[in-house]
């Protein structure tokens, strides 16, 4: 008996034509899997370039419908708003986060009114777009204060929920914030607002272009290593996720994406909660630059997204979402 090996067995037989390959495909990617980030800026009828993210723009609030219409046409289930707050509104406390006329609140009000529940609206809970030092929390004597920051994050969450956010996404990495936010939401009867916890967020070198996009790059004092995770660790990711599940997260985010596929699989295998991945700005710009310089083919985008599905992610936040929708649908 010589089954189970060459020449009886030839794995290439299953790859011989497109139809066999399609038939045997183990993972699928569609626009249902994608979340599109949208950067916001002040003003009217403004669409500004982000130098470090070719092809990605900041939009003034009146232009958001043009982006969302496209996302809807592409069957993208959710968009995520990020504000580029003007320097004059930033201070050490990040108080602009609680201004009910800030960019996020305006974007939420306009889009919720116009689109009702046709598309999901996700908002970041953290202070970095609003602080003059660029940190996600309050800074005192060179330390990021945990509990004091949470008090503000809770207020920020309630404000965003009131303005129409469907999914609150705390990306700040303070200890205990998910529980406090959930409790406050319940108390104010926002039972249906979901929490997407950035449970596993590494102190990464791949966030540079994003910080440029929201205007925190040049002002950031030091680094975020006392609250974001050390990229050498994976057991710690399991502890973070188990805590956030207990505290009331509906799903969890792992970030960055491609350098952390092992973490996605680990979390997927250890918990029953849906796992999302964030293909962050640095990953986007590297791939985009490679394509523009013709170093790699455009098909690298789909390859880069499929790996998240293979690793076990349910959904992916990606700046490529609208660009590749046509190819996927
Ligand atoms: C901050 C935040 C960051 C990103 C999303 N929310 C950057 C940071 O932690 O410094 C990064 C996203 C990206 O790089 O695409 N709360």
């Amino acid at each position: 008996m010589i089954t189970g090996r060459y020449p009886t067995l030839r794995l290439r037989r299953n790859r011989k034509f497109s139809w066999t390959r399609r038939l045997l495909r183990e993972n699928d990617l569609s626009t249902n899997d994608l979340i599109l980030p949208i950067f916001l800026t002040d003003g009217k009828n403004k669409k500004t370039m982000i130098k470090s993210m070719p092809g990605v723009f900041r939009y003034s609030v009146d232009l958001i419908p043009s982006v969302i219409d496209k996302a809807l046409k592409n069957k993208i289930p959710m968009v995520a708003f990020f504000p580029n707050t003007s320097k004059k509104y930033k201070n050490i406390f990040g108080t602009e986060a609680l201004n009910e006329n800030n960019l996020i609140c305006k974007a939420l009000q306009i889009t919720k009114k116009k689109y009702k529940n046709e598309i999901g609206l996700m908002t970041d809970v953290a202070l970095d777009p609003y602080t003059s030092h660029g940190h996600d929390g309050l800074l005192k004597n060179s330390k990021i204060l945990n509990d004091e920051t949470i008090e503000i994050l809770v207020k920020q969450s309630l404000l965003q929920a009131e303005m129409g956010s469907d999914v609150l996404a705390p990306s700040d990495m303070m200890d205990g914030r998910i529980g406090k936010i959930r409790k406050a939401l319940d108390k104010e009867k926002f039972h249906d607002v979901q929490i997407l916890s950035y449970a596993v967020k590494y102190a990464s070198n791949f966030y540079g272009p994003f910080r440029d996009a929201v205007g925190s790059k040049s002002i950031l004092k030091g680094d975020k290593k006392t609250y974001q995770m050390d990229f050498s660790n994976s057991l710690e990711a399991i502890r973070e996720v188990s805590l956030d599940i207990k505290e009331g997260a509906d799903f969890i985010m792992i970030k960055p994406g491609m350098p952390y596929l092992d973490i996605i699989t680990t979390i997927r295998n250890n918990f029953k909660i849906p796992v999302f991945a964030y293909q962050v700005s640095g990953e986007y710009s590297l791939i985009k630059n490679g394509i523009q310089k013709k170093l790699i083919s455009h098909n690298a985008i789909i390859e880069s997204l499929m790996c998240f599905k293979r690793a076990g992610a349910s959904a992916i936040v990606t700046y490529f979402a609208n660009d590749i929708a046509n190819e996927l649908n």
Side-chain angles (χ1 to χ4, degrees):
M1 244 214 351
I2 40 160
T3 53
R5 57 162 136 119
Y6 173 84
T8 321
L9 199 64
R10 292 171 184 266
L11 293 189
R12 284 187 55 189
R13 270 201 285 271
N14 285 350
R15 303 178 197 137
K16 65 181 174 183
F17 296 126
S18 164
W19 64 262
T20 23
R21 294 194 294 270
R22 278 187 286 128
L23 195 64
L24 298 175
R25 190 159 288 159
E26 295 175 37
N27 290 286
D28 248 316
L29 179 72
S30 81
T31 53
N32 290 326
D33 301 314
L34 305 181
I35 299 163
L36 173 73
I38 302 176
F39 291 110
L40 308 171
T41 186
D42 279 330
K44 255 201 138 139
N45 196 25
K46 258 174 70 183
K47 179 179 174 184
T48 64
M49 300 232 291
I50 302 163
K51 254 225 219 97
S52 52
M53 299 184 77
V56 178
F57 301 88
R58 304 181 193 94
Y59 297 89
S60 56
V61 171
D62 55 309
L63 295 184
I64 302 174
S66 62
V67 186
I68 294 200
D69 286 343
K70 199 170 164 199
L72 272 174
K73 210 178 103 237
N74 289 332
K75 300 198 173 69
I76 291 170
M78 181 157 79
V79 295
F81 293 129
F82 295 100
N84 177 288
T85 306
S86 161
K87 254 203 178 116
K88 60 178 184 281
Y89 301 130
K90 295 189 185 192
N91 60 34
I92 51 167
F93 305 113
T95 47
E96 178 67 6
L98 304 182
N99 174 3
E100 53 188 63
N101 286 313
N102 71 21
L103 280 172
I104 290 290
C105 292
K106 281 192 215 154
L108 284 170
Q109 282 176 298
I110 286 180
T111 47
K112 200 41 140 183
K113 190 160 170 232
K114 185 166 167 60
Y115 297 99
K116 310 283 190 308
N117 296 321
E118 266 185 280
I119 191 160
L121 305 176
M122 164 179 156
T123 49
D124 215 53
V125 177
L127 300 183
D128 57 305
Y130 312 103
T131 52
S132 45
H133 43 71
H135 280 288
D136 295 33
L138 297 175
L139 182 67
K140 196 176 177 186
N141 302 329
S142 310
K143 278 197 175 141
I144 301 297
L145 304 176
N146 193 86
D147 301 6
E148 293 82 348
T149 297
I150 293 182
E151 281 179 37
I152 303 177
L153 298 179
V154 166
K155 290 184 187 150
Q156 185 184 23
S157 300
L158 288 174
L159 178 62
Q160 292 178 355
E162 191 189 323
M163 295 290 162
S165 181
D166 296 297
V167 175
L168 300 175
S171 67
D172 56 286
M173 289 297 281
M174 295 303 117
D175 284 323
R177 86 280 204 220
I178 300 299
K180 296 263 189 197
I181 292 170
R182 173 61 76 205
K183 199 168 152 207
L185 288 173
D186 281 347
K187 189 159 166 246
E188 299 300 322
K189 306 258 182 312
F190 291 115
H191 303 293
D192 289 334
V193 172
Q194 289 159 285
I195 300 178
L196 170 56
S197 170
Y198 286 73
V200 186
K201 179 170 178 183
Y202 287 91
S204 172
N205 298 292
F206 288 90
Y207 302 147
F210 174 95
R211 291 179 187 168
D212 182 22
V214 301
S216 69
K217 191 171 187 175
S218 56
I219 56 177
L220 180 64
K221 285 208 170 71
D223 56 47
K224 301 190 177 184
K225 289 180 183 168
T226 68
Y227 47 109
Q228 298 179 348
M229 279 177 53
D230 181 339
F231 56 67
S232 322
N233 299 350
S234 55
L235 292 178
E236 191 183 354
I238 299 179
R239 295 183 82 192
E240 283 285 1
V241 171
S242 67
L243 286 174
D244 284 4
I245 292 176
K246 283 191 205 115
E247 290 180 30
D250 297 287
F251 22 43
I252 61 109
M253 182 87 86
I254 291 169
K255 179 180 178 190
M258 284 170 75
Y260 296 87
L261 297 176
D262 57 325
I263 306 296
I264 296 173
T265 304
T266 298
I267 299 303
R268 174 67 179 220
N269 291 341
N270 276 281
F271 300 96
K272 304 266 186 291
I273 196 163
V275 176
F276 288 15
Y278 199 136
Q279 183 180 50
V280 301
S281 56
E283 301 174 63
Y284 168 85
S285 296
L286 283 171
I287 295 171
K288 188 78 176 184
N289 284 332
I291 294 170
Q292 286 186 338
K293 291 196 178 122
K294 299 202 188 319
L295 298 170
I296 55 174
S297 122
H298 175 81
N299 296 333
I301 299 173
I302 295 210
E303 182 180 343
S304 77
L305 295 171
M306 187 65 84
C307 73
F308 292 113
K309 299 299 294 184
R310 217 174 50 233
S314 312
I316 308 143
V317 182
T318 175
Y319 301 95
F320 287 119
N322 259 342
D323 301 347
I324 48 133
N326 276 340
E327 290 156 61
L328 292 178
N329 288 338

